[in-house]
Amino acid sequence: MVTHFIFMSSSYSLGTRIALDFIVKEASIQEELKKDLDAIIEQCGRDVSISTHMIQADEETWESVCKADHFFKDVKVIENLETFIKLIQKDRQLNGIDVAKYILAKITCTQLKLQKLVYLCFADYLCDTGKLLFTDKIYAFKYGPVVDTVYKKYKEYGYEAIEEERGDIDSRDVFEMPAKSRILFAEDGTGKIVSIDKTLKKYGDLTAIDLVELTHKEESPWRKTYKDEETYLEMELDTIKNYHEFEIL
């Protein structure tokens, strides 16, 4: 029999679970495994989702591991620690579409309303933590703050409700779970979910027009940034933070 020691996590960019597989031939490998686990935690964060497994299989191959326990079926084995860490690091950061999908799983939105809610979630998290909710830049468009990637993905819906990330009314939880899991995997995932939910509770019942009026107020970051319909300027983080910290609805 062969002893396998396995580190496992998830890769949302690959769309599958990932694993590092070590063959345990002598007791001294324990210290090496601890160093590798410490490296993952140090580079990916203490709240990173990592599980460890020890399993007896007939051979050193991954196929024999899957044969011994079907739990490991469809898991992608990563060749080395460096690649494993890089895959996890990539998913520890969110983009605007990750947040948009979570919002759409909870609230019916047109693309205009979605843009405003994504922006307000970003602004609230920035004010609360001083950190970025997601990596995308925010631009000042004619109808308010816009995350370019979210706009490109959903603009075809125009003024119609976006149904892509939302299923039947009786199956909302099913559609929310993957979007929520994606955010929870990110750095400070729990804090980000709490912040987003708080923002949606505050603004989610407003109409798209209400939200446009809100983001277009005098002295708002959009008002200070927007120039004209042909010029899309990036909204500065300090401008967003300084305004929304003292925003009054």
Side-chain angles (χ1 to χ4, degrees), residues 82-101:
E82 181 182 3
T83 303
F84 187 80
I85 288 174
K86 285 182 178 179
L87 283 170
I88 294 174
Q89 286 177 327
K90 182 177 181 180
D91 289 328
R92 294 289 278 164
Q93 293 184 318
L94 297 177
N95 57 48
I97 292 175
D98 294 324
V99 176
K101 287 183 176 182

Side-chain angles (χ1 to χ4, degrees), residues 94-227:
L94 297 177
N95 57 48
I97 292 175
D98 294 324
V99 176
K101 287 183 176 182
Y102 180 65
I103 294 171
L104 288 170
K106 295 175 73 70
I107 298 174
T108 300
C109 293
T110 61
Q111 63 93 14
L112 182 60
K113 178 172 180 174
L114 177 64
Q115 285 289 351
K116 304 302 162 283
L117 290 177
V118 171
Y119 164 73
L120 290 166
C121 286
F122 180 93
D124 282 352
Y125 186 77
L126 179 65
C127 291
D128 289 343
T129 67
K131 298 178 181 180
L132 302 183
L133 179 61
F134 51 78
T135 56
D136 304 66
K137 295 178 180 178
I138 298 174
Y139 296 90
F141 278 35
K142 179 179 180 181
Y143 295 108
V146 166
V147 179
D148 192 46
T149 52
V150 177
Y151 174 73
K152 288 177 179 176
K153 182 172 178 62
Y154 297 111
K155 65 179 180 179
E156 66 184 76
Y157 286 91
Y159 295 104
E160 300 296 323
I162 300 169
E163 299 294 345
E164 180 174 334
E165 313 299 341
R166 190 185 183 92
D168 184 86
I169 193 74
D170 296 325
S171 305
R172 289 177 183 174
D173 289 345
V174 175
F175 283 82
E176 182 180 330
M177 284 164 51
K180 186 174 185 177
S181 296
R182 169 67 190 98
I183 296 174
L184 286 172
F185 188 83
E187 183 178 358
D188 187 31
T190 300
K192 286 175 177 174
I193 284 290
V194 170
S195 180
I196 293 169
D197 285 345
K198 183 174 69 174
T199 300
L200 296 182
K201 184 176 181 180
K202 183 165 53 171
Y203 299 108
D205 290 335
L206 298 180
T207 67
I209 299 304
D210 291 335
L211 293 170
V212 169
E213 291 177 355
L214 186 66
T215 58
H216 281 55
K217 285 183 177 179
E218 291 296 330
E219 303 302 317
S220 68
W222 177 86
R223 183 76 66 179
K224 290 182 177 181
T225 308
Y226 180 72
K227 186 176 180 181

